Amino acid sequence: MAPRADSTVAAMLAQKCPRCHRGPLFRYSALHLTRFDDMYESCAVCGQHYEPEVGFYWGAMYISYGFSTLIVVLTGVLLFYLAHDPPVWVYVTAVAVVVVALTPLLFRYARVVMLYFFGGIRYTPRFAESLPLRPAE
């Protein structure tokens, strides 16, 4: 079953435009390690500009920090209970590996959260239903 077009959570998880929920935010896959951070300037479907103001995504660093803190806590708790409180070097190594491995996703979802919650862009159903996909710039 496909997610509803107006589901904001589904659009955020799929990293789609906040206005039409159809256009992609990023040019390449998160697995493309040298280009995972390349964003489109505007939506290929509705034309929404993705950077509301210069330096807008600086705030995403705070969101990414929150995500990283959550990962550190979860990794620490899991190691404590599943590995029966291993030495400190195991905690440090495990946290470093997990955070580095998830860096592309942390970066992307911090930007997605920043754009959806602080970008001042709201979902507009008429853009999602009536416009065909335009070629990306």
Side-chain angles (χ1 to χ4, degrees):
M1 180 182 198
R4 291 180 21 208
D6 61 347
S7 171
T8 300
V9 174
M12 289 176 73
L13 290 173
Q15 302 168 5
K16 299 292 183 179
C17 172
R19 183 161 72 170
C20 69
H21 290 182
R22 289 181 57 206
L25 292 172
F26 294 93
R27 293 180 183 269
Y28 301 96
S29 162
L31 300 176
H32 194 296
L33 297 180
T34 59
R35 309 285 303 266
F36 71 87
D37 60 340
D38 284 356
M39 286 184 75
Y40 289 106
E41 285 187 30
S42 59
C43 180
V45 176
C46 68
Q48 173 65 48
H49 191 66
Y50 288 148
E51 190 168 359
E53 60 186 54
V54 177
F56 174 74
Y57 289 111
W58 282 80
M61 289 187 304
Y62 296 102
I63 296 167
S64 180
Y65 176 77
F67 288 164
S68 296
T69 302
L70 182 64
I71 288 170
V72 167
V73 169
L74 287 175
T75 304
V77 168
L78 286 173
L79 280 173
F80 182 81
Y81 287 109
L82 297 178
H84 307 291
D85 195 17
V88 173
W89 71 267
V90 174
Y91 284 104
V92 172
T93 304
V95 165
V97 167
V98 170
V99 169
V100 169
L102 294 178
T103 293
L105 290 177
L106 294 174
F107 177 89
R108 284 173 166 239
Y109 282 110
R111 283 190 168 214
V112 168
V113 168
M114 187 73 187
L115 186 60
Y116 270 78
F117 289 103
F118 303 106
I121 305 165
R122 298 292 170 249
Y123 173 67
T124 309
R126 69 183 169 93
F127 286 111
E129 297 161 1
S130 62
L131 295 175
L133 232 66
R134 296 185 300 150
E137 77 269 351

